[in-house]
Amino acid sequence: MGIEKLSVASMLAGIREAAVITCLDGNIIHYNNQMKRRLPNIDNAKIITEVFSLASKTFNVSCFKEFSSIVKRRSGLFPIRLKFNDTRLNDTSTIPAYVSVLKDAENNEPAALIYKLDEHIVRFNNRLRQLQDAKRAHAKIAREAKLKASMDSLTGLKNRRFVQSFLEMQWKAYTSKGEDTVLIIFDIDFFKQINDTYGHAAGDEAIKAFGKCLHSQTRPSDVVSRWGGEEFVVVLANCSSTQARLYLERVMTSIRQLRIKYKNVVNEQTLISMTASAGYCPFSQASSVQEAFSQADRALYEAKSEGRDQYRRACPDIAMSELTSAFPNSRSQLLN
């Protein structure tokens, strides 16, 4: 009984999956509507190798004979993975499928092969891919929201909320591993004059340039943040006092050399320069983050009161009341 006597059409009509029947040599005999929907150009194909490739190796005629001979010796379903050869489909994923032998009804000899795509797995994989894409998109949105919540909108530096958490984390590293951290507070000198002279837009440009200058001298492990207004906090992780002084020397020199180009209200370009004052405190001379911050703040006050454009290391044995009596001007006046 020849292959032509097989009821191909009726057989395919009862298959829900996309399916195609071929001769043992790979020539396509027939396919169902589901396969036609999955692969519209199958009408133009004469041999299975024009439609699919094996995911593991090229599904060409020379290896197809070997593959066919293997399938003929087996009963039941033979699982494989296929790829569409038609690049116009824009589908590079592999597709799970099953191959089985159709036998001649009279002599029970292999007469044809039927390929069935496992659409259930395909749909499951597509759904899984959609869920994974949605999960990645959600994670990206969450990361962006977290990043935005920790960032100063004007300068792009870390904000006050972030640096407070980072300081607590560094304090734990210091107490557990002995890795010292240096906390530095910067304040732009006479910043109010920049705003009053050039306008708030120019002041914003000055703040951005100042923050960029601080960041340019730090290491990847350090954190530069805008604490508020014209005040900035730099945290030098795993850093000695000597290294902190070297950083301060570099950055103070860079600040003095800053020239910010800005066009005024009559469209005339002007150059804005500035200086800054700073106070710093190593964790190793404080009993808590709060005390380190308080000491650095007092050192900044001292730098301001002694003429600005300089930095001072915190002296833990100098109380704020002593500084206030030595320098009668209020801190708010000094920081303007």
Side-chain angles (χ1 to χ4, degrees):
M1 189 177 195
I3 186 65
E4 67 278 2
K5 292 186 178 181
L6 290 173
S7 182
V8 174
S10 60
M11 182 183 303
L12 287 172
I15 298 175
R16 293 184 178 181
E17 300 89 351
V20 58
I21 295 177
T22 72
C23 298
L24 296 177
D25 60 5
N27 288 318
I28 295 175
I29 298 172
H30 202 30
Y31 46 85
N32 61 9
N33 291 330
Q34 291 89 325
M35 181 63 78
K36 171 69 175 176
R37 285 194 294 269
R38 289 285 276 134
L39 191 62
N41 295 317
I42 196 171
D43 288 335
N44 302 322
K46 294 182 179 180
I47 191 167
I48 192 69
T49 53
E50 297 175 12
V51 181
F52 295 112
S53 292
L54 283 175
S56 57
K57 58 182 178 178
T58 304
F59 196 9
N60 53 35
V61 174
S62 61
C63 73
F64 181 79
K65 291 180 180 178
E66 179 185 354
F67 173 74
S68 179
S69 65
I70 294 172
V71 176
K72 286 189 295 183
R73 293 195 299 267
R74 296 183 55 162
S75 60
L77 301 175
F78 190 92
I80 58 172
R81 297 193 71 87
L82 301 173
K83 289 192 300 184
F84 287 124
N85 283 341
D86 194 337
T87 57
R88 290 171 295 183
L89 295 176
N90 197 28
D91 189 346
T92 58
S93 59
T94 61
I95 305 162
Y98 294 95
V99 183
S100 58
V101 175
L102 300 178
K103 295 184 177 180
D104 189 294
E106 292 184 356
N107 57 27
N108 203 35
E109 290 294 323
L113 298 177
I114 180 167
Y115 295 79
K116 293 189 290 185
L117 304 186
D118 195 331
E119 296 290 348
H120 295 292
I121 295 182
V122 171
R123 285 192 292 270
F124 174 79
N125 287 341
N126 288 339
R127 179 56 179 159
L128 181 61
R129 192 158 46 243
Q130 291 172 356
L131 291 173
Q132 290 171 339
D133 290 343
K135 185 177 180 180
R136 282 191 290 268
H138 178 76
K140 182 181 179 182
I141 292 172
R143 286 195 302 271
E144 290 174 349
K146 185 176 180 180
L147 181 63
K148 188 175 181 180
S150 66
M151 184 182 296
D152 175 63
S153 58
L154 178 62
T155 62
L157 299 173
K158 298 300 183 182
N159 61 15
R160 184 170 184 155
R161 178 189 298 177
F162 177 89
V163 80
Q164 286 174 323
S165 299
F166 186 75
L167 283 168
E168 293 295 339
M169 183 178 68
Q170 288 303 117
W171 182 262
K172 290 179 181 178
Y174 163 65
T175 55
S176 62
K177 300 178 183 178
E179 297 176 353
D180 207 359
T181 291
V182 177
L183 168 65
I184 309 173
I185 305 176
F186 286 90
D187 190 271
I188 300 175
D189 296 329
F190 302 110
F191 181 73
K192 186 176 183 299
Q193 292 182 11
I194 296 177
N195 276 337
D196 292 344
T197 304
Y198 305 104
H200 289 280
D204 287 348
E205 292 301 316
I207 285 175
K208 288 191 285 187
F210 184 82
K212 187 176 181 180
C213 183
L214 296 184
H215 191 268
S216 68
Q217 301 296 331
T218 57
R219 304 163 300 174
S221 58
D222 302 327
V223 167
V224 180
S225 70
R226 185 183 178 202
W227 189 253
E230 66 273 19
E231 204 165 39
F232 291 75
V233 169
V234 175
V235 183
L236 303 179
N238 194 14
C239 178
S240 66
S241 294
T242 300
Q243 291 171 318
R245 285 194 297 273
L246 291 174
Y247 167 77
L248 281 159
E249 288 292 341
R250 292 196 309 270
V251 80
M252 295 294 276
T253 300
S254 296
I255 292 167
R256 295 183 191 107
Q257 294 172 348
L258 270 179
R259 296 296 181 271
I260 303 155
K261 295 180 181 180
Y262 185 76
K263 289 186 178 181
N264 58 23
V265 291
V266 293
N267 208 32
E268 294 176 344
Q269 185 167 284
T270 185
L271 295 177
I272 302 173
S273 60
M274 70 182 84
T275 60
S277 303
Y280 74 98
C281 177
F283 276 8
S284 54
Q285 71 174 49
S287 60
S288 67
V289 171
Q290 291 74 18
E291 185 183 335
F293 200 98
S294 178
Q295 288 188 35
D297 194 44
R298 293 202 299 267
L300 170 63
Y301 180 94
E302 183 180 356
K304 288 281 189 182
S305 63
E306 291 184 355
R308 297 178 171 84
D309 189 21
Q310 57 189 300
Y311 62 87
R312 288 288 181 267
R313 176 173 175 166
C315 298
D317 56 333
I318 298 179
M320 189 65 189
S321 58
E322 295 173 359
L323 284 175
T324 304
S325 61
F327 308 106
N329 293 328
S330 67
R331 183 179 188 278
S332 61
Q333 290 175 319
L334 287 170
L335 296 184
N336 289 328

